[in-house]
Amino acid sequence: MTRRVLLGATAAGLVATATGCSSDSPEPPAPKPPDPQAVLLGSLIGDKERLIALYERAALGSAKMAAALEPFRQRHVAHLAALRELLPAGAETGPSSPGVPSPSAGSPGPAEESAPAEKPVSIGRLRDAERRTSAARPREMAAASPVLAQLLASIGACEAVHAVALGSLRV
């Protein structure tokens, strides 16, 4: 081997190393961990969708029951919209589409235990669900951003009032 060939091969090796060409394949970058706020919001949205579905099942009892529960359901729909507004673009919340509550989204949360979909829900069960969700808000607020914590405080207060108001509802 001549000196010229040896120098050329060495130079080619240095250029290949400098440009990132090598026989070792680089490891793919580690997946980015999910944003904790997006995860929390996804959970809150799923719980709110289940609570709305619970109200819809309770309304199956009678037209009078449906009319009495509609203002409660409407407030939960407004909470759901406010939570979705805080969700970062592109973040997933589950199988449901915006505006369409899905009672089967994920596992049952504090708002609802598993139950047959065709059986109407009692006022007592709605009241229990409202109590559980409002009781969970302080714990959720501890992990939330300031903006989300303020929203959760408002939602929790509304849910606590719902629990009291449902106790005096006579349908």
Side-chain angles (χ1 to χ4, degrees):
M1 186 183 289
T2 66
R3 184 175 170 190
R4 183 174 277 166
V5 171
L6 183 62
L7 286 173
T10 303
L14 289 173
V15 168
T17 303
T19 60
C21 297
S22 68
S23 61
D24 296 335
S25 60
E27 289 185 28
K32 188 177 176 183
D35 175 24
Q37 290 301 293
V39 171
L40 177 59
L41 277 164
S43 173
L44 294 166
I45 288 168
D47 288 345
K48 195 53 78 169
E49 288 172 338
R50 284 186 289 277
L51 189 56
I52 291 168
L54 198 63
Y55 270 92
E56 289 170 352
R57 284 187 31 221
L60 296 174
S62 70
K64 189 175 178 181
M65 174 82 85
L69 295 177
E70 184 58 19
F72 295 87
R73 192 191 73 78
Q74 291 273 333
R75 284 186 284 275
H76 287 296
V77 169
H79 297 163
L80 180 59
L83 289 167
R84 283 189 173 141
E85 282 182 25
L86 293 179
L87 194 65
E92 295 293 321
T93 62
S96 68
S97 59
V100 180
S102 169
S104 61
S107 61
E112 175 183 14
E113 322 78 52
S114 294
E118 66 280 350
K119 184 178 176 188
V121 174
S122 70
I123 296 290
R125 185 156 172 220
L126 286 173
R127 215 173 148 193
D128 291 343
E130 293 282 8
R131 284 181 183 146
R132 279 192 306 278
T133 56
S134 66
R137 298 302 175 218
R139 186 175 52 257
E140 295 161 347
M141 287 171 19
S145 68
V147 169
L148 180 54
Q150 288 176 343
L151 178 59
L152 287 176
S154 295
I155 289 173
C158 184
E159 292 163 340
V161 169
H162 282 186
V164 172
L166 285 168
S168 62
L169 192 64
R170 302 289 176 243
V171 183

